Structure formats: C-alpha cells, structure tokens
Amino acid sequence: MQGSFQKVVGGFLGGLFLWAGVAAAGEVRVSVAVSLKEAVTEIAKGYTEAGGEEVVLTFGASGQLARQITEGAKADVFIAAANKQVEELVKGGMAEAGTRQVVAGNRLVLVVPAGAKEAPGSIADLAQGKFKKIAIGDPKSVPAGEYAMAVLTTLKMGEQVKGRLVYGTNVRQVLAYVESGDVAGGLVYATDARQSGEKVRVVEVAEEKWHEAIEYPAVVIKGSKQRAGAVKFLEYLKTEAARKVLVEKGFRVRVAAGATTAPATPTTVPGR
C-alpha cells in the first residue's frame, strides 16, 4: 500500500485519545501511550509511505490501553510509557517477551501556566499550601503519574501535597489543566511541555535519580493476526528515519548499547 496513509478514526472519549478503527486485511493495529501521539503518527505515515502496511493507531494512557488489550481489544503492537504495563502483559501471556524493545526515553518536568502571576519556581515549592491545585497523571493507570508520585515521595513531599493533587486520566489532560490555568502547576513529560509551546513554562526538570528511568517499551501482542507486519513495524522503529522523528519531537533514543542521545534542542529551564 505504498503511498497511502495510516487510518485515523475517532476523537476524545472518557479521557482516552482514540484513533482506532476496525483493522482491515493488511493493516497493523498499534496501541500507543498518548505522549508519543505526534511522533508515532508521523512515524506510521513514513512507514506506510515506505511500503509498509497501513497503521491503525489507538492513543491513551498506558494502563488503560493495557487493560483494554487484556479484556480482548484487538492490537498487534503495544507501545507503553513504562515497563510495568508491558511486563504485566508478558507475564499474563498476552505479549511476546522476545519482541520487546525500548523505543525512546523522556524526562519529567514541572510546568506552570505561561501567564501565571504567582507560580511555583521549583518542584520543592509545591509543598507550599498557597498552591491549591497540582496536576499529575493518575498513578493507577498513567506512567507519568507514577513517575510524579515517585518524585514527590523521594523528596518527602507526599503528605505536604496530599489533598491538593488533581489527577488526569492521561498526561495530555494534565497538560491541559496547566494550559488552562486550572492548576498552579503539573508534572508532565518534557516532550509534552515542548508540544504545548508557549502555553506553559518549564520551571524545573526532575532529577533522574528521583524516579525510575522513563522508557517507552514496545512489544508484539500474542496471537496477532498481522504478526509479520507487527514485527516489521517494530523493526522500522529502529531505523534512522523513525529515530530522527523521535529526536525532533524531543525524545531520547539509544544510539548504541548503553548509550542514549538527548534531543538536539532539549527543553530548558529559564535562567539555567
């Protein structure tokens, strides 16, 4: 199907970005963490134009997508924003362990509304009670929320922010809360802050030692009727063309065993 584009259907439903449809013969269905939305959409387009199958994309929180797959939702490939969801599918016999690969990496940042007159200047400032609402992803299903809670716990701020946390159903909803000014700040991925442009301001990048490494593992779903296409799509994610897109969107990609490259123009903190 060279020259055709990936199929995109749907919109926003119940906190999930749904770009899913019923896959036709020769189409590869890929469930993807929503923070990869723009990057994987562009990569899928390039894959199809290079002679690969059409790609049907479903975007949402990693935990919600994994649960849908467990409950029978059709998918050939799953790309999560954390290892936990992929490992659970592998242990449950739902995914092929031998196909697992890390696609990219990311950083966690604190963002505040761009026009806020009074805003936290650091993650530590979130402990101040005057900042009434702080947004993070729901730790039960959103990896960005798990990383955020790990940061707050490591900095011994759990009790100080208790009762002031607003949970988003995915990381993009957290970003939307900050953009609208509904919260004083939010913990999101550096790539999401970059995608937001001038609507938010990054005030601090979380130390990587404060949380587990942020990785995006991909895996083929067991029983896929398009397994050959699924494997081929995973291979395409390793190509220079795909890696270039990821870096341009602000993600980190591995360049060799044990080595990682940061984006050419990483998110920076004013004054640093």
Side-chain angles (χ1 to χ4, degrees):
M1 296 185 181
Q2 189 166 354
S4 58
F5 292 79
Q6 78 273 19
K7 182 179 294 184
V8 289
V9 182
F12 184 84
L13 177 62
L16 280 175
F17 284 84
L18 298 179
W19 291 51
V22 178
E27 294 178 341
V28 177
R29 298 162 296 193
V30 185
S31 293
V32 193
V34 72
S35 52
L36 279 167
K37 179 171 176 268
E38 291 76 18
V40 172
T41 297
E42 188 171 334
I43 289 170
K45 175 182 175 181
Y47 171 77
T48 302
E49 291 181 333
E53 298 83 359
E54 287 191 70
V55 182
V56 179
L57 299 172
T58 301
F59 294 103
S62 298
Q64 292 171 315
L65 293 173
R67 184 169 62 252
Q68 288 177 350
I69 292 171
T70 300
E71 293 174 350
K74 301 301 181 183
D76 302 302
V77 174
F78 177 45
I79 309 175
N83 289 299
K84 176 183 174 182
Q85 287 76 23
V86 168
E87 290 171 356
E88 288 177 346
L89 287 181
V90 169
K91 290 179 181 178
M94 302 292 294
E96 299 183 20
T99 64
R100 181 189 178 281
Q101 67 181 52
V102 175
V103 174
N106 215 331
R107 296 293 298 273
L108 194 71
V109 300
L110 173 63
V111 292
V112 301
K117 295 181 179 179
E118 185 176 24
S122 67
I123 295 174
D125 284 350
L126 297 177
Q128 299 178 32
K130 64 181 179 180
F131 300 117
K132 302 299 183 183
K133 295 181 180 179
I134 304 157
I136 68 171
D138 186 344
K140 295 180 180 179
S141 59
V142 184
E146 293 184 69
Y147 297 127
M149 283 304 301
V151 168
L152 296 174
T153 300
T154 299
L155 298 181
K156 301 185 183 339
M157 295 170 54
E159 286 301 315
Q160 293 170 302
V161 300
K162 190 175 182 179
R164 292 188 286 127
L165 294 178
V166 176
Y167 298 121
T169 55
N170 57 57
V171 70
R172 290 300 173 86
Q173 189 173 68
V174 174
L175 186 65
Y177 287 152
V178 180
E179 290 176 343
S180 66
D182 289 338
V183 298
L187 288 163
V188 300
Y189 296 126
T191 51
D192 292 304
R194 180 174 177 150
Q195 185 66 34
S196 183
E198 298 180 354
K199 296 178 183 178
V200 301
R201 179 165 52 90
V202 176
V203 296
E204 185 174 10
V205 180
E207 296 285 343
E208 293 183 278
K209 63 184 178 182
W210 294 345
H211 56 75
E212 291 185 7
I214 300 176
E215 295 182 334
Y216 291 80
V219 69
V220 172
I221 299 303
K222 192 169 288 188
S224 166
K225 294 182 179 180
Q226 299 288 352
R227 187 181 185 282
V231 171
K232 189 165 64 172
F233 183 72
L234 286 190
E235 287 300 310
Y236 184 79
L237 293 174
K238 299 177 184 177
T239 65
E240 187 62 30
R243 287 150 51 88
K244 180 180 179 181
V245 172
L246 289 165
V247 172
E248 286 176 347
K249 300 299 183 184
F251 292 92
R252 293 173 152 194
V253 296
R254 291 182 175 178
V255 295
T260 303
T261 182
T265 53
T267 301
T268 57
V269 180
R272 293 193 179 186

